[in-house]
Amino acid sequence: MPAKVTISFALSAVTDLEDIQAYYNSEWAPHVGKRLTGEIIAQIERLTHHPLSGRIVPEFNVEHFREIIHPPFRIVYRYDKKRVRIVRIWRSERHLKVP
């Protein structure tokens, strides 16, 4: 089995998760927000053993920027050898801006 990688979260990704939960709380569906954030975390956890399992982010087309599509979300991360940094968790229809 390949070596495990370390996973960390950028503040922007933590805020995204909080915003997802807050949105569903405001819609009187906290159970939906809780379920979705749990599913997102489960998708992220798989990266500890399979960090290259996400596709390359099309807007960047750079090997180290990858994403997992978990409808309706995009989990965008950066992979550097033994580390994965979760950068953003956005609605999948939202496009990333390339500087």
Side-chain angles (χ1 to χ4, degrees):
M1 177 171 273
K4 285 176 70 172
V5 299
T6 302
I7 295 178
S8 64
F9 288 77
L11 180 58
S12 54
V14 172
T15 301
D16 292 339
L17 283 173
E18 291 170 344
D19 289 348
I20 291 166
Q21 189 66 51
Y23 171 78
Y24 287 100
N25 286 346
S26 74
E27 294 293 313
W28 301 95
H31 60 287
V32 174
K34 192 174 237 180
R35 178 181 54 81
L36 286 172
T37 55
E39 290 173 0
I40 290 167
I41 296 299
Q43 291 293 317
I44 291 168
E45 286 175 344
R46 83 171 196 218
L47 295 174
T48 59
H49 291 291
H50 306 286
L52 295 175
S53 62
R55 72 178 189 169
I56 294 172
V57 177
E59 292 92 336
F60 296 126
N61 199 29
V62 177
E63 180 71 23
H64 62 272
F65 277 113
R66 296 185 164 264
E67 68 183 349
I68 297 170
I69 304 298
H70 182 72
F73 299 101
R74 298 172 78 177
I75 305 163
V76 180
Y77 66 97
R78 180 183 174 113
Y79 173 60
D80 294 312
K81 300 205 179 190
K82 296 191 183 233
R83 295 183 321 188
V84 166
R85 178 112 170 129
I86 307 302
V87 180
R88 298 303 307 241
I89 302 164
W90 279 341
R91 297 279 307 191
S92 56
E93 66 272 5
R94 185 173 179 180
H95 294 284
L96 297 173
K97 292 184 180 178
V98 179

